Amino acid sequence: MSTVPALAAFVGGSFRATSGDELTSINPSDPSDVVLRFGSGEPGMIDSAVDSAASALPGWRAKTGPARAELLYKWAAQMAARSEELAQAVCREVGKPIAEARAEAGRCEMILRYFAGAAVHACGELIPPQVAGSLQFSLRQPVGVVGLITPWNFPLAIPIWKAAPALAFGNTVILKPAEASTRVAALLAETAAAASIPDGVFNVVPGSGGVVGRALAEHHGVAAVSFTGSVGVGRRIALAAAERNARFQTEMGGKNVAIVLEDADLALAADLVANGAMRYAGQKCTATSRAVVQRACLEPFLERLEARIEALRLGPVTDPSCAVGPVISREAQERIRATVADAGQPTISIPIPDDLAKGFFVSPTVFRDVDPRSQLAREEVFGPVLAIIVVDDFDEAIAVANEVEYGLSASLFTSDVASALRYIDRIEAGMVRVNGDTTGVDPHAPFGGMKASSSGSREQGPAAMEFYTEIKTVQINPGKV
Ligand code: NAD
């Protein structure tokens, strides 16, 4: 059992109470279940966390790569030992179906192990010098104290995929988790402490985004800010960081597309579009929210899609067969229902059973023949809602797919290699699949989007080193003729 529910901040190696107005984190499946009460925070908490992270920095960056790797392996082991407890906490606090919550906990172990390995890989290049007899090379060094601002939808994995590379390459970290996932963040801090990550190296300061998040993004002691969340907040954070010439990375919204061509395996396409659109109630940043379908296969595709969506279990989230679950809050439920009501008559709408009605459930909903210029086809819904847009051919499909401001992930269903190759070349998305769903990416592969979806360098995999290190170009000359 956790020892810290009320002491949600973790600074300098000890748990602290948060100050400010009371905020609550509640169970989206049962709003009467208050998971945590905590304070909205004040900027002074960020000052104290920055002091603590800055004090810990010299010792942490001076450790050898193998020594840092050892501690990250220990952290992975701590997470493995408590993975069921972590998964249950995710399930309760953010309403994620337990099977996916378990997968998320397992993914964190993989990420920690990957970056433990990365801490002992080469981190520079030998560069042929112009000066005869000299040695020239690039050296990658930590950036310093980094601020991580994260959303609630992957409350374990997103903090870990930012913190693991940051720590592996010698930085110290202040994590500001989403208000709605504050207890999970405190559990994460417990696992870091149990892994003997030194005091001040990994800090967690929860609270209101507009108070604590803003103070972190604007703090002069923070050398880099990595953000995942909504577009509006991401842009504000980018401006705050640019203002003081700190580096930033923002991973934001998506309007992810699945293109279904007439030569596709329609059973596979229907299965993966249903999963991509509806699992976790469409609240993955990579969720499929548009299906662009060739007219010639529309009816057989829809028939299969309806059957697949009907087969997805809505709840309860603690049941391992649950696929959908509630949305995060009453506010999100009302916003998504209003979007659905404005969009007209749905083609598919799955009713919510009475025994789930107290949770923030939204009916999985599909609209067909959606106008590609409509709000439903262009704006992120972040709920279990799919817009189907009908096209005549491949070129029109690509044009429609690229017609939105976002470019996070995309998939194409086809059996034609030539179409797949043309799509890979022309689609405007950072993560591109053929005959796969738009969600998920291997934890060791680069993650990020194009256009309004992302800015700065990619996260995860080898790409993460770019953000969390700074290059020094070094030349050593012989000193004698
Ligand atoms: P959000 O933008 O509301 O909040 C994200 C974080 O920013 C939270 O920790 C919040 O407290 C903080 N924040 C809010 N206002 C702030 C401010 N003024 N200054 C600094 N920090 C502030 O997003 P959310 O509702 O938690 O998550 C949903 C959004 O996240 C969706 O738009 C989704 O697409 C996006 N998302 C994107 C990815 C990706 O990798 N592209 C992944 C997951 C979620």
Side-chain angles (χ1 to χ4, degrees), residues 54 270 392 429 467 481:
D392 286 315
F467 186 74
V481 192

Side-chain angles (χ1 to χ4, degrees), residues 149-153 158 161 176-179 207-210 213-214 227-230 233 236-237 251-254 285 380 382 408 447 453:
I149 302 178
T150 56
W152 46 265
N153 62 342
I158 294 179
W161 84 46
K176 152 62 185 99
E179 294 86 321
S208 145
R214 186 173 166 191
F227 168 82
T228 301
S230 58
V233 174
R236 254 175 279 155
I237 286 172
E251 287 297 341
M252 303 174 284
C285 50
E380 187 179 49
F382 225 56
L408 188 58
F447 183 101
S453 288

Side-chain angles (χ1 to χ4, degrees), residues 148-154 158 161-162 175-181 205-218 225 227-234 236-237 240 250-256 282-287 328 335 380-382 406 408 431 447-449 452-454 459-460:
L148 313 179
I149 302 178
T150 56
W152 46 265
N153 62 342
F154 285 85
I158 294 179
W161 84 46
K162 294 179 189 296
L175 167 68
K176 152 62 185 99
E179 294 86 321
S181 57
V205 183
S208 145
V211 178
V212 175
R214 186 173 166 191
L216 183 59
E218 292 178 353
V225 181
F227 168 82
T228 301
S230 58
V231 174
V233 174
R236 254 175 279 155
I237 286 172
T250 58
E251 287 297 341
M252 303 174 284
K255 191 71 194 171
N256 310 300
Q283 300 174 108
K284 300 175 189 175
C285 50
T286 49
I328 188 67
R335 177 183 51 76
E380 187 179 49
V381 178
F382 225 56
Y406 298 110
L408 188 58
M431 292 174 295
F447 183 101
S453 288
S454 305
E459 300 200 78
Q460 300 199 89

Side-chain angles (χ1 to χ4, degrees), residues 55-223:
S55 307
L57 185 64
W60 183 247
R61 82 194 282 284
K63 274 191 189 299
T64 61
R68 288 197 297 266
E70 216 40 62
L71 289 163
L72 291 180
Y73 282 124
K74 264 192 170 179
W75 196 359
Q78 281 300 323
M79 292 206 66
R82 293 178 68 175
S83 66
E84 183 57 23
E85 180 194 354
L86 292 167
Q88 294 290 348
V90 168
C91 182
R92 178 178 172 213
E93 191 170 26
V94 301
K96 183 168 289 195
I98 188 66
E100 291 214 27
R102 286 180 179 138
E104 185 178 343
R107 184 187 178 104
C108 291
E109 291 165 48
M110 282 190 260
I111 295 169
L112 284 162
R113 290 187 208 288
Y114 175 88
F115 284 108
V120 299
H121 284 179
C123 54
E125 285 176 335
L126 201 59
I127 303 159
Q130 279 190 326
V131 180
S134 79
L135 181 65
Q136 180 167 256
F137 55 94
S138 64
L139 185 65
R140 284 189 178 268
Q141 292 195 314
V143 176
V145 174
V146 301
L148 313 179
I149 302 178
T150 56
W152 46 265
N153 62 342
F154 285 85
L156 291 172
I158 294 179
I160 287 291
W161 84 46
K162 294 179 189 296
L167 299 188
F169 301 128
N171 305 278
T172 55
V173 161
I174 300 164
L175 167 68
K176 152 62 185 99
E179 294 86 321
S181 57
T182 298
R183 178 170 152 72
V184 169
L187 290 175
L188 209 52
E190 282 191 355
T191 60
S196 312
I197 301 291
D199 295 351
V201 168
F202 177 75
N203 305 277
V204 180
V205 183
S208 145
V211 178
V212 175
R214 186 173 166 191
L216 183 59
E218 292 178 353
H219 203 290
H220 282 262
V222 176

